Amino acid sequence: MLKKLKSAERLFLLIKKQFPLNVSSVSKGKILSEIQRLINDDPESWLNAISTWKNLLELDAKKDKLFQRAALFQRAANPPKRKVEENDIISAKKLKTKQLQELQESGECLLEKQTEEETQEQGDFLTEREKSQEAFQNDVVKAADAKNQNDLTFRVSCRCSGAIAKTFTAQEVGRITGIALMKQFGWKADLRNPNLEIFIHLNDIYSVVGIPVFRIPLASRAYIKTAGLRSTIAWALASLAEIQAGAFVLDPMCGLGTILLEAAKEWPDVYYVGADVSDSQLLGAYDNLKAAGLKNKIELLQVSVIDLPLPSESVDVIISDIPFGKKFKLGEDIKSILQEMERVLHVGGAIVLLLSEEHHRRLKDDEQSSIPLNSEGSHTGEPSIKKCLKPGGKTGTSETVSSSFEASSQECLDKTPPFGSLVPVECHKVSLGRTDAFICKYRKLHSLGL
């Protein structure tokens, strides 16, 4: 289930989460002590997390072995160019059914079966609840044994931001934490190939310590050959678009096709078209589609975003990553791009865009300047438009207008739309590592002729 999550970058087993470290009114030595207390004050939480981490690794490894056994069995049960008699077919089906049942039982109830085997060897007759409790206690004991062993290696990955980053570097915090772990549990540091990775994130909101569940981030999709836009962001864009079966979905600046790949994997019964002016980007997109087995699901066109060869109001959904101007320069004005998207989008259709902070600021300025003035010289629709963009005037990392288009659009209908017939519906701030961006959703309310 964890591996199937689409919008999660990395998953962590939480060891500790607490209020941010106070760096404004205490000495540097006091802060060092506070960092060390993250490890020393509650060693049991560390042992419990290590126990869970080990169980996940063992479960994952055993399930992989079972799947490999099932694959070998399937090949053995279906040899090439061999005439199988009716009895052999029946026997193979029975064996395959039995194997699948074993696979399901082992995958879903592996920990329970292990506990049952241990209790049977000891001759105990315990209830299910007692078995679970005993299994948990045994796991804690195993993890505690690691304290006295020298075979567990670790490294610390640290991220500091806000006030703490002005006092300590991530390397300093990592070194302090590593020394405390070695003293507390007797583990050995290994920066290149450790058994265990400890993650620490210190900022102005919280202090968090955890263990990554997977070595490879979930954003690294196995079906994407050449990475373009981060796949988790691409999936989030497609998810906000509310794609329906049978829809016509367009990415007019598709690049390497990451958005269309993520959408087609999740919503397959849709007609997808990707467009771009760059030969190299389209070739990369084709290679990605071919590697993912989706070249027959997505059509690619070499056209300009401001001159799309599509009839007016022919597209149901438009999703796109607007270039930030760093790697690929955006020659045309963002407003011209939106106008062409608006033309090909049918009434009620949605546009979901990934915008840089600069593009987002320019569009918000256009929204304000497009609102008519009243007799006092102020913007007549300003309060309502602000309400559409930021409910209650609140700010934060996520600015959502409404979960339903009907609830939010009725009030906006009475005001002058900021981009012709397009009205903003949602806006979410997202992080792209060192860069922040905005996912913005717009809805087309009426035909351009109205």
Side-chain angles (χ1 to χ4, degrees):
M1 290 174 63
L2 295 179
K3 288 180 178 179
K4 291 179 180 178
L5 293 176
K6 292 292 187 178
S7 61
E9 290 282 346
R10 301 197 73 183
L11 303 177
F12 300 89
L13 289 170
L14 182 64
I15 298 176
K16 182 168 289 189
K17 180 177 181 180
Q18 62 185 37
F19 290 110
L21 299 175
N22 184 8
V23 298
S24 59
S25 59
V26 296
S27 64
K28 197 169 182 177
K30 182 71 173 177
I31 300 172
L32 290 175
S33 299
E34 288 295 323
I35 295 174
Q36 292 173 339
R37 287 181 61 186
L38 291 171
I39 293 93
N40 301 331
D41 277 5
D42 189 12
E44 185 178 357
S45 64
W46 284 82
L47 297 178
N48 291 341
I50 296 295
S51 174
T52 305
W53 171 72
K54 286 184 175 181
N55 285 337
L56 285 174
L57 290 183
E58 292 173 3
L59 180 65
D60 198 39
K62 291 186 178 181
K63 287 184 72 175
D64 285 342
K65 288 181 181 179
L66 288 169
F67 280 116
Q68 291 172 4
R69 285 171 54 194
L72 290 173
F73 169 80
Q74 188 173 6
R75 286 197 293 269
N78 298 280
K81 298 182 180 179
R82 177 185 173 187
K83 186 175 181 181
V84 184
E85 308 234 345
E86 184 175 356
N87 290 337
D88 292 337
I89 296 175
I90 295 173
S91 299
K93 287 183 177 180
K94 287 181 178 180
L95 287 172
K96 189 174 182 180
T97 302
K98 183 179 179 181
Q99 182 71 24
L100 291 174
Q101 289 175 349
E102 292 176 355
L103 180 63
Q104 183 178 6
E105 290 175 359
S106 300
E108 296 178 355
C109 308
L110 187 58
L111 295 178
E112 182 180 346
K113 289 180 68 178
Q114 288 175 344
T115 307
E116 290 175 355
E117 291 172 0
E118 292 172 0
T119 53
Q120 285 174 5
E121 291 175 358
Q122 297 170 357
D124 296 331
F125 298 92
L126 305 175
T127 64
E128 293 297 325
R129 183 175 180 181
E130 290 172 331
K131 291 175 184 176
S132 299
Q133 290 176 345
E134 185 183 40
F136 177 78
Q137 292 170 356
N138 289 338
D139 290 334
V140 174
V141 170
K142 291 178 183 178
D145 290 340
K147 180 178 178 180
N148 301 319
Q149 296 176 0
N150 296 323
D151 58 346
L152 183 61
T153 59
F154 77 99
R155 71 179 172 201
V156 179
S157 298
C158 184
R159 182 181 299 169
C160 297
S161 59
I164 187 71
K166 298 177 182 179
T167 307
F168 291 99
T169 65
Q171 291 76 13
E172 287 176 319
V173 174
R175 184 171 62 253
I176 296 165
T177 307
I179 293 172
L181 287 170
M182 287 188 286
K183 290 182 177 179
Q184 179 69 31
F185 299 108
W187 302 337
K188 289 183 178 180
D190 185 349
L191 301 181
R192 292 190 175 183
N193 189 29
N195 304 125
L196 175 67
E197 183 177 5
I198 304 297
F199 178 83
I200 297 181
H201 192 179
L202 305 177
N203 56 33
D204 294 335
I205 304 174
Y206 49 66
S207 299
V208 171
V209 183
I211 302 174
V213 178
F214 305 114
R215 287 183 179 269
I216 301 175
L218 293 177
S220 302
R221 310 285 204 241
Y223 50 80
I224 295 182
K225 182 179 180 181
T226 305
L229 174 66
R230 192 177 299 178
S231 57
T232 48
I233 300 295
W235 186 91
L237 287 163
S239 179
L240 281 177
E242 303 176 56
I243 299 172
Q244 303 294 325
F248 177 6
V249 177
L250 169 70
D251 183 351
M253 307 178 78
C254 67
L256 295 175
T258 310
I259 295 175
L260 297 176
L261 277 168
E262 288 295 307
K265 281 286 185 180
E266 190 79 7
W267 300 276
D269 300 326
V270 175
Y271 178 53
Y272 293 100
V273 173
D276 207 289
V277 294
S278 170
D279 288 332
S280 60
Q281 291 290 288
L282 288 174
L283 287 173
Y286 179 79
D287 288 343
N288 276 340
L289 300 185
K290 186 177 179 180
L294 294 172
K295 64 179 183 178
N296 296 326
K297 285 278 188 179
I298 302 171
E299 185 176 351
L300 298 176
L301 302 174
Q302 186 173 14
V303 295
S304 171
V305 65
I306 61 171
D307 189 21
L308 298 172
L310 297 172
S312 298
E313 301 188 10
S314 60
V315 179
D316 298 300
V317 174
I318 297 176
I319 316 172
S320 194
D321 169 20
I322 305 297
F324 286 17
K326 294 182 179 179
K327 187 175 182 181
F328 298 100
K329 297 296 181 181
L330 187 62
E332 298 296 334
D333 185 81
I334 182 68
K335 197 169 182 180
S336 301
I337 294 172
L338 270 177
Q339 287 173 348
E340 181 65 357
M341 293 181 181
E342 177 189 16
R343 180 188 68 81
V344 300
L345 188 70
H346 77 66
V347 176
I351 295 178
V352 180
L353 304 176
L354 182 65
L355 303 170
S356 67
E357 291 185 302
E358 180 184 354
H359 289 148
H360 182 254
R361 183 169 56 252
R362 289 180 61 187
L363 290 180
K364 293 195 74 173
D365 291 343
D366 288 342
E367 291 164 18
Q368 295 301 321
S369 63
S370 67
I371 303 172
L373 300 176
N374 59 19
S375 59
E376 298 178 356
S378 62
H379 293 298
T380 57
E382 188 172 357
S384 295
I385 293 296
K386 281 188 176 179
K387 186 176 180 181
C388 288
L389 293 172
K390 297 183 181 180
K394 296 180 180 179
T395 59
T397 57
S398 176
E399 303 166 4
T400 304
V401 177
S402 172
S403 59
S404 65
F405 164 65
E406 290 79 6
S408 63
S409 64
Q410 186 58 45
E411 182 179 3
C412 297
L413 274 169
D414 300 329
K415 306 300 175 185
T416 304
F419 311 116
S421 63
L422 297 178
V423 169
V425 179
E426 304 182 47
C427 186
H428 303 273
K429 189 174 183 180
V430 293
S431 174
L432 302 178
R434 296 182 179 179
T435 306
D436 287 334
F438 292 85
I439 297 178
C440 297
K441 180 177 179 179
Y442 302 89
R443 185 81 68 174
K444 186 171 180 177
L445 297 186
H446 56 75
S447 297
L448 292 177
L450 297 180

